Each structure stands twice: as C-alpha cells, then as structure tokens.
Amino acid sequence: MRKNIVAGNWKMNNDLSQTETLLTAIKQQTQTTNAEVMVAPTFVNLYPAVNTLKESNVEVIAQNMHFAANGAYTGEISATMLKSVGIETVILGHSERRAYFNETDELLAKKVDAALENGIRIIFCFGEELADRKANNQETIVKSQIANALFHLEASAFNNIILAYEPVWAIGTGETASPEQAQDMHQFIRQTLEDKYNSEVANNVSILYGGSVKPANAKEIFSKPDVDGGLIGGASLKADDFFAIVNAF
Ligand code: PGA
C-alpha cells in the first residue's frame, strides 16, 4: 500500500557519538508523525542505532549491501548480516554508488534479488544526470534504470519496493527539481509500471523524491499527487531540519 515516507540518508557522516546524539534528538521529535520515518547511518553504527531507536517509530535502514550471502568479498556486508542486527530495509542504486563504485544496472539487479530473497525491503534509487536532462533524455534514462534492475521481477515483488527518483544534478547541489518536474517524472514512473505490470502496482508503490529537499521546499514537493515523500541527504543530518521535513506531511 502506498505510504508517506521520509528517509534520511546520512551517507559517510556521523561517528558513533554523533550518531547517538542525532538519534536521541530524532527519537524525541518524531513521536507522532504522518509519515513513516527512516534513517540510514553508516554500517558500523547500524546495530547501536537499532538499539537506540528500539521503542520509537523510526526505522533504521542500511545504505547498501552485497548480493552474495557470504564468502570472499573483503569489506562487504550481506543481507543476512543486516537482518541479524535488525535491519529490514536497504537503499540500493544510489547515484553515488553508481558513480563512485561503478554499480551497474546488472549488479543492482543481483542486489535487488538478494534483498528480496532475504525479506529485506528496498528503496531503489535512480535518476538522470544534468546532460541527460539538458538533452531531454530524462525519461529514457529513468525508464531504462528501472527496467534493467527491476523488470525481471513479478508484480508481487513491488510490495517490498519503494522507488526514489533522485536527479543527479539535484543531489547535494542545493538545486532542487521543481515540484512540477518531480511530479512529471513520478507520473511517468507510475505510467511505466502500469504499462509493464498493472495499475495496482503503479498506484500502490511509494515514490520518493530526493535531491536538496529542505524544510523550505518539502511541503510543496510532497503536496504533488505522485510524490509520496523524500530521501533526504544533507538536511537529514540536523534533527530540526529533518523533523521539519517529516512534518511537511
Ligand atoms: P541531498 O541528498 O538531500 O543532500 O541532496 C539526497 C540523497 O543523496 O539521497
């Protein structure tokens, strides 16, 4: 079922004590919300974060995972390891993973399968680069990113998938897609899902927008009919800003 979701992607920020401080503030401020709230600390702080947020309505999620169950993959972390510390949702396909760690659609398809096989929900990210937008190729790019990594799945898999449209040119740049640009793309994504699957899949999937969402613009973006929330980077590192974005619902 479609839900309002605000997820904070902390990226490679916050050591253990900073994590505890921020989580304590978030926990106090998010007692009652109109959206599902999630935070994604770095791997080493997932387990302490799960403990800190035990009696809260904030879910701790992971920023990435490997596709293999275990084995000789130095430095990597598997779905079962995430599950063993209480993680039930993972972000996959973030543009920084694609750009700096060479994650391809093919690799992401394997990660998607591994997450779903282990009962882990996915926030699947995709989005065009500035050159694609300038060339008016954004829909082609987004459609191929979704198709290549997800269209081998059965319709029922989408019960455990959240989509996050994050135009690369808007991530960490201060430049946000206009609410209309976000709405147009989210509508296109739903249409793409309807064409491939059916209207139930299209209407039930939550589609988040990500890219320089701030307290000042969240309300307008979230008010668009096909925008179900946000994946928040920079503004999720300050409890007050993150809380203001959550409260935009
Ligand atoms: P930003 O990052 O909010 O700092 O632009 C969003 C993201 O990368 O998910």
Side-chain angles (χ1 to χ4, degrees):
M1 212 42 215
R2 205 160 147 187
K3 295 179 200 131
N4 294 333
I5 296 168
V6 177
N9 174 13
W10 291 4
K11 310 190 180 183
M12 199 172 73
N13 293 295
N14 291 333
D15 64 15
L16 180 57
S17 84
Q18 290 165 327
T19 296
E20 294 294 0
T21 305
L22 184 51
L23 290 180
T24 304
I26 287 173
K27 189 175 171 176
Q28 281 163 0
Q29 291 188 328
T30 49
Q31 303 287 7
T32 53
T33 60
N34 293 323
E36 260 190 52
V37 183
M38 305 174 190
V39 290
T42 188
F43 281 124
V44 287
N45 293 326
L46 289 177
Y47 187 51
V50 166
N51 283 324
T52 302
L53 293 180
K54 224 170 220 155
E55 258 119 57
S56 79
N57 53 0
V58 180
E59 182 185 350
V60 180
I61 68 174
Q63 297 178 16
N64 182 30
M65 57 164 251
H66 195 268
F67 60 80
N70 50 47
Y73 297 100
T74 301
E76 292 293 328
I77 296 180
S78 73
T80 50
M81 291 169 187
L82 292 178
K83 283 215 94 171
S84 74
V85 297
I87 300 300
E88 293 177 345
T89 304
V90 66
I91 299 170
L92 293 178
H94 192 281
S95 65
E96 287 149 18
R97 300 290 322 168
R98 294 175 189 261
Y100 307 144
F101 303 96
N102 302 320
E103 294 202 1
T104 60
D105 292 343
E106 292 68 33
L107 176 76
L108 290 168
K110 287 198 208 177
K111 292 190 178 202
V112 163
D113 290 344
L116 295 175
E117 278 160 21
N118 285 283
I120 295 187
R121 182 165 67 155
I122 299 162
I123 298 182
F124 184 76
C125 307
F126 49 85
E128 82 282 1
E129 297 188 23
L130 186 58
D132 305 321
R133 173 66 64 172
K134 282 190 169 153
N136 202 27
N137 270 340
Q138 63 272 17
E139 291 187 348
T140 311
I141 297 290
V142 161
K143 187 174 179 176
S144 75
Q145 288 173 327
I146 294 174
N148 292 341
L150 301 180
F151 277 5
H152 63 288
L153 300 170
E154 303 277 325
S156 60
F158 283 82
N159 293 330
N160 289 310
I161 295 175
I162 296 157
L163 299 177
Y165 168 56
E166 298 203 303
V168 178
W169 48 271
I171 296 179
T173 58
E175 188 167 342
T176 323
S178 70
E180 291 69 31
Q181 284 173 319
Q183 168 57 26
D184 286 351
M185 183 58 86
H186 286 217
Q187 194 174 22
F188 170 76
I189 294 162
R190 269 188 226 287
Q191 189 59 53
T192 302
L193 290 174
E194 182 165 345
D195 295 345
K196 167 70 184 173
Y197 295 98
N198 53 52
S199 58
E200 205 183 320
V201 169
N203 290 329
N204 284 340
V205 72
S206 297
I207 309 179
L208 314 184
Y209 167 79
S212 300
V213 177
K214 307 181 257 295
N217 59 25
K219 205 169 193 137
E220 210 188 335
I221 296 171
F222 295 172
S223 71
K224 293 294 174 191
D226 288 304
V227 179
D228 303 309
L231 184 56
I232 320 300
S236 71
L237 298 171
K238 291 194 193 119
D240 288 345
D241 285 357
F242 186 57
F243 183 58
I245 294 169
V246 170
N247 268 351
F249 278 110

